[in-house]
Amino acid sequence: MIASLRAMSRWTLPPDRIPSAWFNVAPHLPEPVDPPLHPATREPVGPEDLAPLFPMELIGQEVSTAPWIDVPGEVLDILKLWRPTPLVRAERLERALGTPARIYFKDESGSPSGSHKTNTAVPQAFYNAKEGITRLTTETGAGQWGTALSYAAAQYGLELQVYMVRASYEQKPYRRIAMETWGGSVVPSPVDEPGHPGSLGSAISDAVRDCVGREDTHYALGSVLNHVLLHQTVIGLEAKEQLELAGERLPDVVLASCGGGSNLGGIAFPFVPDEGVRLLAVEPLSCPTLTRGRFEYDFGDVAGLTPLMPMYTLGHDFVPPSIHAGGLRYHGDSPLVSSLVKAGRMEAVAYPQGKVFEAAVQFARVEGKIPAPECAHAVRAAIDEALAAKETGEEKVILFNYSGHGFLDLSAYDDHNNGRLPEEQG
Ligand SMILES: *Cc1c(COP(=O)(O)O)cnc(C)c1O
């Protein structure tokens, strides 16, 4: 006989329980979000301004106030290859910390590209293909978004041109190789300044410039925009159902790392209507957009080609130091996330990378999983929330998003393990 399990610690859902509609947070915001403005005229942008960049279905989702938006069957067919993703209780971590808190994480690391980004790459590729577009351009930092979109483009037979931040292109070849394996073409950015290390903002400029010149081409963005966060809400919707299976009512706190805000929005937005559930954004101290930025209209890119968006920003010419969590090095943030922070519905905290890697190593040793450096920010905050509960004796329920694995980021762990991470100022 097989030994019986002492207790469940991992909850899965059958494939037919994958959410068939995305959750739109727009009708649930405490304050409405101001519209994006045209970079030249500073008038609100209309659908016709965005049509050279995005398919009409995505432009519609960008401004929709409908509470739910159906996921097309063709998209579900692909998402079902790895969704629903598991919800895991980190019991070994709880024991190691000696906390009365119950810590759950939603594991998004099992997607084809190893992160949550595939959840939006698939619908974006689908809507473009459906509109007759045959080629996409995009930017990528460390390469997570580029790999997710390369995979998705391959599913619908689209060509893909990726502009990769040069510093990563030169130092981190593995994600480039993955992109090329799925059929994407990758060039280092900025394309016209060969000595420049680049930034996400400058790579966006390159990708937009390439797109606007061609009829057959659209542009795809992996975070920040409303439709991207919408697509990620499958994470929080599944987690809600799985927490119920685990016998929990609602979590006390939901948290995730925040670069542009997509994995955070994905897990947290379905909990916005639930009063009393704290929502927490975790960012790097070296790029502290929500904790130290200003709320104002700013461009999404360095060159000022994108619409101006109302968001927390460090300034579109801010070049963050090159920390290992490349996916969190963005000067701005999602307008939806920014609006929730500004209204006091969401909190934000920032950590230096040394503290983040300490938490990641502790997590890896007890739970076995090695998180991406971006994801490790959420692990750090989850551990600190659990330690705070130990002080007060509170049995709180913590839910965090495990946004991706760190198997292509092991050189960052090598730097940490051998004392080569630079100290940051708090
Ligand atoms: C890109 C990325 C992030 C940060 O991006 P968001 O849009 O803020 O979610 C976090 N974790 C992983 C693993 C990523 O690849």
Side-chain angles (χ1 to χ4, degrees):
M1 204 182 108
I2 298 169
S4 69
L5 295 175
R6 191 175 53 80
M8 287 267 287
S9 60
R10 186 172 181 276
W11 290 269
T12 49
L13 293 169
D16 64 351
R17 295 302 305 160
I18 185 171
S20 57
W22 291 300
F23 176 86
N24 188 3
V25 77
H28 304 282
L29 293 176
E31 297 164 8
V33 174
D34 289 326
L37 303 181
H38 192 281
T41 64
R42 311 228 161 187
E43 294 293 324
V45 295
E48 65 289 353
D49 296 315
L50 297 173
L53 297 178
F54 304 111
M56 274 301 160
E57 299 244 24
L58 292 179
I59 295 171
Q61 292 175 6
E62 198 59 24
V63 297
S64 173
T65 53
W68 295 94
I69 294 173
D70 283 345
V71 186
E74 296 91 330
V75 170
L76 287 176
D77 285 344
I78 292 183
L79 295 184
K80 268 180 198 160
L81 298 174
W82 70 93
R83 304 206 71 84
T85 61
L87 178 78
V88 183
R89 180 160 166 201
E91 282 179 300
R92 285 159 193 79
L93 178 63
E94 290 168 18
R95 278 201 291 280
L97 298 172
T99 177
R102 298 192 289 285
I103 307 172
Y104 294 86
F105 63 90
K106 181 71 169 149
D107 187 356
E108 293 294 312
S109 68
S111 80
S113 68
S115 82
H116 68 285
K117 290 196 171 75
T118 336
N119 297 328
T120 184
V122 171
Q124 289 194 46
F126 168 74
Y127 288 122
N128 276 293
K130 195 176 155 205
E131 201 169 278
I133 288 295
T134 57
R135 179 174 177 270
L136 293 175
T137 67
T138 198
E139 73 291 328
T140 197
Q144 287 104 328
W145 170 239
T147 52
L149 194 61
S150 294
Y151 162 77
Q155 304 316 302
Y156 300 105
L158 297 169
E159 247 184 88
L160 176 66
Q161 179 65 56
V162 181
Y163 294 89
M164 186 170 186
V165 173
R166 180 171 282 107
S168 299
Y169 182 92
E170 285 167 358
Q171 287 157 24
K172 302 184 173 175
Y174 292 115
R175 286 202 176 87
R176 170 181 61 75
I177 297 167
M179 288 184 259
E180 291 169 347
T181 303
W182 276 311
S185 315
V186 189
V187 288
S189 165
V191 281
D192 51 7
E193 281 178 84
H196 196 287
S199 70
L200 265 185
S202 66
I204 294 175
S205 304
D206 278 338
V208 169
R209 256 188 224 109
D210 176 334
C211 159
V212 293
R214 290 178 59 156
E215 282 287 316
D216 61 348
T217 301
H218 271 166
Y219 164 70
L221 190 61
S223 189
V224 180
L225 297 180
N226 301 349
H227 67 262
V228 180
L229 277 69
L230 174 81
H231 300 158
Q232 294 293 354
T233 58
V234 292
I235 303 172
L237 292 170
E238 288 175 8
K240 244 182 165 170
E241 197 170 333
Q242 289 163 315
L243 277 176
E244 245 171 68
L245 287 180
E248 303 288 1
R249 225 181 55 79
L250 283 169
D252 293 287
V253 58
V254 180
L255 62 91
S257 66
C258 185
S262 76
N263 89 95
L264 170 67
I267 195 160
F269 284 177
F271 293 95
V272 166
D274 298 307
E275 265 174 56
V277 176
R278 285 173 56 219
L279 309 175
L280 177 63
V282 191
E283 55 184 20
L285 193 57
S286 57
C287 191
T289 313
L290 295 170
T291 48
R292 301 202 182 166
R294 296 197 340 190
F295 187 90
E296 61 191 21
Y297 270 104
D298 195 11
F299 297 106
D301 69 326
V302 167
L305 300 175
T306 71
L308 290 149
M309 290 177 293
M311 60 184 178
Y312 282 97
T313 175
L314 298 162
H316 63 276
D317 51 0
F318 177 82
V319 180
S322 82
I323 53 167
H324 285 293
L328 304 184
R329 292 178 68 231
Y330 186 60
H331 68 271
D333 240 309
S334 144
L336 291 171
V337 164
S338 296
S339 154
L340 286 166
V341 171
K342 183 160 164 279
R345 179 66 187 89
M346 186 180 271
E347 306 159 38
V349 63
Y351 286 107
Q353 67 176 347
K355 287 259 173 285
V356 166
F357 277 96
E358 271 170 31
V361 168
Q362 183 175 20
F363 185 79
R365 289 183 186 174
V366 290
E367 291 294 328
K369 301 184 77 83
I370 300 180
E374 293 84 1
C375 175
H377 286 71
V379 173
R380 170 79 270 166
I383 289 177
D384 283 2
E385 286 287 332
L387 290 175
K390 185 177 174 179
E391 293 284 307
T392 58
E394 188 194 350
E395 279 194 32
K396 80 174 153 191
V397 176
I398 300 166
L399 170 64
F400 78 89
N401 195 38
Y402 192 84
S403 55
H405 68 66
F407 286 159
L408 297 181
D409 306 281
L410 290 177
S411 65
Y413 282 87
D414 199 34
D415 284 350
H416 171 76
N417 296 343
N418 293 291
R420 290 193 303 260
L421 281 185
E423 283 302 315
E424 289 160 295
Q425 299 304 310

